[in-house]
Amino acid sequence: MDGKIVILTGAGISAESGLGTFRDKDGIWTKHSIEDVATPEAFARDPARVQAFYNARRAQAAEATPNAAHVALAELQAARPDTVIVTQNVDGLHEAAGAKVIHMHGELSRALCAACRHRWDAPLEMRVGETCLLCGAPEARPDIVWFGEMPYHMEEILDHLLDADLFVAIGTSGLVYPAAGFVEEARIAGIDTVEINLEATEASALFDRTVTGPASEAVPAWVKGMLGR
Ligand code: APR
């Protein structure tokens, strides 16, 4: 199949690199409540708790390495440069595998000033009251899109999506909007849609095709097919 491919990835693609997903058994949201660690209100109420939560995830992500699924997508993008990868993930495993990606939910490796919106590379451990490198305000926070906040790069992402010939969702439960709405946008635009996930999801009925299996096996096999190898 020729043409432009837009790929959306979720936590499932990094699961086999040792980074927990959110909603599976033992997922991150079974151990932490979203209201305590992943909203602007939580950060205002208890910044130490929020910083500790992301410091722990940042340290884990820094130790993790890309798996065969990340590597296969980087190979696909190298062979077909108009392949656009959009990720909900905040780890850097796509880049570590050599791919260029759009982070719609931010990045653990970046810090953001809540006062002036300046961004810089985050230290491994962010402290409460950390000051902005540009304006000096003690308003540094993890550069992560929290619940209730607008994801990044939405206009660019939707432009790519509506310009695509194929939309593929990998390792995502399809429960969090606006990412969960991409398949519907693609369907309405007459774009082919494929889901690759460990198991069927609540969104599976919306896709033309669902491939089930661990990402580290299913994604390389799918890429091999796409590259006619
Ligand atoms: N291979 C493929 N898929 C997998 C694997 C694996 N090895 N392990 C788990 N999965 C699948 C699960 O079956 C599930 O459908 O990955 C999906 C992970 O879903 P979630 O935990 O809901 O993660 P995600 O869809 O990325 O969450 C979306 O929600 O919590 C917020 O901002 C956070 O970006 C995140 C967003």
Side-chain angles (χ1 to χ4, degrees):
M1 179 242 124
D2 292 335
K4 178 172 178 171
I5 309 169
V6 170
I7 298 169
L8 172 72
T9 66
I13 200 170
S14 295
E16 294 161 86
S17 294
L19 301 183
T21 64
F22 295 94
R23 293 172 186 82
D24 289 314
K25 194 172 65 54
D26 303 329
I28 292 172
W29 298 144
T30 66
K31 298 177 185 127
H32 302 271
S33 92
I34 287 173
E35 290 69 30
D36 290 341
V37 296
T39 65
E41 295 76 20
F43 190 62
R45 193 172 51 243
D46 189 349
R49 182 177 198 165
V50 173
Q51 292 285 26
F53 173 71
Y54 287 101
N55 286 345
R57 292 186 58 202
R58 192 176 299 110
Q60 216 199 355
E63 295 298 313
T65 55
N67 62 58
H70 299 104
V71 172
L73 292 186
E75 282 168 3
L76 176 66
Q77 196 178 53
R80 297 177 62 156
D82 61 351
T83 301
V84 174
I85 303 171
V86 177
T87 189
Q88 299 171 87
N89 300 344
V90 293
D91 62 57
L93 296 180
H94 281 299
E95 291 91 338
K100 280 199 315 306
V101 296
I102 300 173
H103 281 273
M104 69 181 293
H105 291 166
E107 299 173 70
L108 285 167
S109 63
R110 303 283 281 168
L112 170 70
C113 175
C116 75
R117 309 299 290 177
H118 177 61
R119 287 182 172 82
W120 63 97
D121 290 342
L124 210 48
E125 288 269 324
M126 288 188 72
R127 291 169 292 102
V128 174
E130 186 130 1
T131 55
C132 170
L133 300 189
L134 186 68
C135 75
E139 303 269 352
R141 54 168 275 183
D143 187 14
I144 302 289
V145 175
W146 286 325
F147 287 84
E149 296 184 320
M150 193 59 197
Y152 298 155
H153 314 298
M154 282 306 296
E155 215 175 304
E156 183 191 354
I157 293 168
L158 290 174
D159 284 350
H160 282 304
L161 183 62
L162 298 180
D163 187 36
D165 299 285
L166 175 63
F167 171 68
V168 184
I170 301 173
T172 182
S173 57
L175 295 172
V176 176
Y177 284 78
F182 292 169
V183 61
E184 198 60 41
E185 300 270 354
R187 280 163 56 90
I188 293 165
I191 296 162
D192 280 345
T193 57
V194 175
E195 180 186 44
I196 303 178
N197 208 62
L198 188 61
E199 58 205 6
T201 68
E202 293 188 18
S204 295
L206 297 172
F207 288 86
D208 295 308
R209 193 158 68 90
T210 291
V211 178
T212 57
S216 68
E217 294 166 18
V219 175
W222 173 73
V223 167
K224 213 168 167 204
M226 291 305 294
L227 297 179
R229 292 177 185 164

